[in-house]
Amino acid sequence: MAHAAGLVTTEAVPPESWASSAASRAVMSANKGRDTKPEKLLRSALHRQGLRYRVGARPLPGLRRTADVVFTKARVAVFVDGCYWHGCPEHHRPARKGAVFWQEKIAGNRARDADTNEALRNAGWLVIRVWEHEDPEQAALAVVKAVRSRQETRSGDQR
């Protein structure tokens, strides 16, 4: 796919690059950080359910982490985790090349996810994590239930 997209060149890999080849460098640099297919499917399902949200926003201003979908008033942060990048117990397959590097990378991602969850929960947020392989309609229903429940609770507190 990288060849078809014109991303692979005959240039040498820069010495400071972690990539094992120009092809792997091209493939990895083409990976998107947001607006992935699973994110878009979940957002569409949420929108059909009547929810409105912020995309790619920081739930806490002082925390350099962005959630994929944020419901600011309800204080719900939704993350759509990729099976490879976040070490899905069901679908993650370890890399064969650069195995140590990727093992450390995935472990770091998981540690950061746990830290993010804790920081948000301590600030009164509900964190919902959805694996990319989950059915977006089912995931959306769980998110809708959580958001509406928190909206009802918050409106009840203000009376």
Side-chain angles (χ1 to χ4, degrees):
M1 287 178 24
H3 285 284
L7 298 172
V8 177
T9 66
T10 56
E11 297 175 23
V13 176
E16 69 278 0
S17 176
W18 48 262
S20 59
S21 69
S24 68
R25 181 178 169 87
V27 168
M28 296 310 289
S29 65
N31 283 328
K32 299 188 327 181
R34 66 176 261 184
D35 294 335
T36 62
K37 185 176 180 180
E39 288 175 31
K40 287 180 175 183
L41 290 171
L42 177 63
R43 292 193 321 235
S44 293
L46 291 169
H47 196 272
R48 281 192 302 279
Q49 292 287 332
L51 292 183
R52 302 302 178 257
Y53 43 81
R54 296 186 64 209
V55 176
R58 288 184 183 175
L60 299 176
L63 185 65
R64 288 193 55 204
R65 313 278 166 75
T66 59
D68 299 312
V69 179
V70 178
F71 298 92
T72 309
K73 289 182 181 176
R75 298 183 88 163
V76 175
V78 181
F79 297 87
V80 181
D81 293 339
C83 290
Y84 180 78
W85 297 105
H86 296 268
C88 170
E90 213 175 308
H91 297 107
H92 177 74
R93 298 293 174 262
R96 289 184 224 172
K97 286 188 176 182
V100 172
F101 170 85
W102 288 110
Q103 187 176 22
E104 290 172 359
K105 172 72 174 160
I106 305 307
N109 289 349
R110 295 183 82 179
R112 186 187 63 239
D113 292 346
D115 180 64
T116 301
N117 293 350
E118 183 179 0
L120 289 173
R121 286 184 183 128
N122 288 342
W125 284 74
L126 173 65
V127 176
I128 299 175
R129 289 203 173 262
V130 177
W131 287 111
E132 72 174 316
H133 68 264
E134 290 183 54
D135 176 18
E137 297 297 329
Q138 292 298 315
L141 291 175
V143 172
V144 167
K145 183 177 178 183
V147 168
R148 293 206 170 125
S149 171
R150 288 182 64 100
Q151 286 172 336
E152 290 168 8
T153 302
R154 292 182 70 81
S155 67
D157 292 342
Q158 296 171 353
R159 289 184 187 153

